[in-house]
Amino acid sequence: MLQKTHSVAGMIAAEIVLIQGDISFFTWDAAGSLLLGCLAGTLADVDKPGSTMAKVLFPLSALLHVLKIKHRTLTHSLLFMALLAMICLPLPPLYFWVFILAYASHPLIDLLNDRGVQLFWPITLKIRLLPKWIAIDTGSASETVFRWVLLVVCLVLPFWNYVLPYLPYSFTK
Ligand SMILES: [Zn+2]
């Protein structure tokens, strides 16, 4: 998936944390959370040579390159996310959850990609959620459609509390 797609997914993760925590979207905490989500969502692609994250975090991407860590392996794994969660424990709860969930949104939507993700790295098994013929290829038209859907969700979620009373009863239960 492209960086912009991951940014939107990361922001959705941040919005979910804000809604769960009953935090108004019109606060500095919310602005900080959305920004953090937007950045954390793209972080895992530091393992992809040439990506923006690899350029921004150059020492880290160079280290991964030297260690011959391939794309969608270590940084996209559950093991790495568990490690990251331990490192981030001192963060305030709001930012901890925004960071971890936004980071996790990355491998989660990469699972829809046709090449799959080594979620259980160092086990090299590639996990893919969709059959190859409908899987979303990076930069393809289907990714554009997917990104638009995410964007709509991202724009609607802040108004969730206003939308909720108008939904059919079965949805609100
Ligand atoms: Zn990725």
Side-chain angles (χ1 to χ4, degrees):
M1 301 273 178
L2 297 175
Q3 175 163 1
K4 45 191 173 184
T5 309
H6 285 301
S7 295
V8 183
M11 281 176 72
I12 291 176
E15 288 178 348
I16 290 170
V17 175
L18 289 170
I19 291 169
Q20 279 294 319
D22 227 354
I23 296 161
S24 163
F25 279 80
F26 302 102
T27 57
W28 285 111
D29 267 344
S33 298
L34 290 173
L35 185 67
L36 180 65
C38 184
L39 294 173
T42 64
L43 215 52
D45 275 349
V46 65
D47 65 355
K48 188 177 168 189
S51 73
T52 311
M53 269 305 148
K55 284 175 194 157
V56 172
L57 299 171
F58 175 70
L60 190 60
S61 59
L63 178 69
L64 291 173
H65 187 70
V66 169
L67 295 175
K68 293 190 164 61
I69 302 287
K70 291 209 183 88
H71 184 36
R72 298 203 186 102
T73 58
L74 167 74
T75 61
H76 290 58
S77 68
L78 291 173
L79 178 72
F80 190 75
M81 281 185 267
L83 252 155
L84 214 54
M86 278 197 272
I87 294 168
C88 294
L89 266 180
L91 285 178
L94 171 67
Y95 292 103
F96 172 83
W97 285 112
V98 167
F99 182 77
I100 293 302
L101 290 183
Y103 190 97
S105 75
H106 185 118
L108 182 73
I109 65 167
D110 267 356
L111 287 173
L112 306 174
N113 194 282
D114 64 335
R115 267 166 272 175
V117 177
Q118 291 187 17
L119 207 55
F120 300 106
W121 187 91
I123 299 167
T124 56
L125 175 73
K126 283 185 184 169
I127 315 285
R128 189 182 65 216
L129 283 184
L130 297 174
K132 242 189 162 98
W133 60 278
I134 49 164
I136 302 171
D137 204 2
T138 304
S140 64
S142 52
E143 180 172 347
T144 307
V145 173
F146 179 62
R147 187 168 55 248
W148 274 103
V149 172
L150 288 183
L151 210 56
V152 169
V153 172
C154 187
L155 291 174
V156 167
L157 273 181
F159 305 101
W160 186 243
N161 282 330
Y162 307 102
V163 175
L164 210 59
Y166 300 102
L167 289 180
Y169 179 71
S170 56
F171 269 103
T172 55
K173 194 75 180 131

